[in-house]
């Protein structure tokens, strides 16, 4: 199975280097996602629909982050999260131990109302550690990758449902 | 919060804000208007990200249902076909 055939050699070479990068990135995102879905299909034939749905959702964010690579704070944060999850599952292979990990966090009391910037920091992975300027830039890139992922998933779903 | 903040020019922030503005879906309607207030833009950005996350969730469930109703071989074939098409 040659999943990466289409990522080699851009059939439409464009003079604008930025759009070429975007095309390559979109292609990579597509290949990662389809490969992950194929693996889910093969490896979990007996799983419940809900479980498979969760795996597909993880695959969606994973392929976004892998395509963006380590260049972005948000993609590094997503990949870190997934890595921690894998390590946790290796320690407890059943995976059905404590479903809810209680994380003790030292709460810095914020008496003021959370601003929109605070909300944004929660929504963008790794947002808490960024300064405001980086946050805006990361947000723009995150939104681009998210909407690419959504349209890619729509295309796959439409083509499967015939 | 570090006390050492690099000097970010207002110009750079405005640039980033207009870039973000152009990425939001409703911004095309108001393309003639002067730049939206930063707070309003952030609010729209947050709700846009939330709606995108919801769409990913819904599409994941939809794909999961579709995979359940297809037999393995044709699902694989369909996926590979889609890959070669894009």
């Amino acid at each position: 199975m040659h999943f990466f055939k289409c990522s080699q050699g851009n059939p439409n070479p464009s003079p604008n280097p930025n759009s070429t990068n975007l095309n390559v990135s979109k292609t990579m995102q597509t290949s990662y996602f389809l490969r992950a879905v194929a693996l889910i299909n093969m490896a979990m034939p007996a799983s419940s629909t809900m479980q498979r749905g969760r795996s597909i959702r993880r695959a969606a964010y994973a392929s976004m982050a892998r395509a963006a690579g380590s260049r972005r704070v948000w993609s590094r944060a997503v990949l870190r999260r997934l890595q921690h999850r894998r390590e946790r599952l290796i320690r407890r292979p059943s995976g059905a131990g404590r479903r809810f990990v209680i994380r003790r966090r030292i709460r810095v009391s914020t008496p003021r109302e959370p601003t929109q910037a605070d909300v944004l920091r929660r929504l963008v992975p790794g947002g808490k550690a960024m300064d405001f300027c980086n946050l805006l830039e990361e947000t723009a890139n995150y939104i681009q990758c998210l909407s690419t992922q959504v349209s890619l998933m729509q295309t796959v779903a439409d083509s499967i449902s015939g | 919060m570090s006390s050492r903040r690099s000097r970010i020019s207002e110009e750079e922030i405005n640039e980033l804000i207009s870039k973000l503005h152009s990425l939001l879906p409703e911004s095309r309607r108001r393309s003639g208007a002067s730049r939206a207030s930063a707070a309003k833009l952030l609010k729209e950005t947050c709700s846009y990200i939330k709606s995108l996350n919801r769409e990913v969730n819904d599409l994941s469930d939809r794909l999961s249902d579709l995979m359940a109703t297809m037999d393995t071989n044709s699902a694989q074939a369909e996926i590979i076909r889609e890959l070669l098409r894009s």
Side-chain angles (χ1 to χ4, degrees), chain B residues 66-83:
Chain B
L66 286 171
M67 281 163 61
T69 57
M70 288 184 86
D71 75 272
T72 315
N73 286 337
S74 58
Q76 293 289 86
E78 195 56 55
I79 288 169
I80 294 168
R81 238 172 280 148
E82 190 52 43
L83 170 62

Side-chain angles (χ1 to χ4, degrees), chain A residues 3 49 52 57 61 158 160, chain B residues 53 57 62 64-65 68 70:
Chain A
F3 283 103
T49 302
R52 200 168 39 225
R57 202 178 108 247
Y61 287 101
D158 289 342
I160 289 185
Chain B
N53 283 333
N57 269 345
R62 184 171 160 212
S64 179
D65 285 336
M70 288 184 86

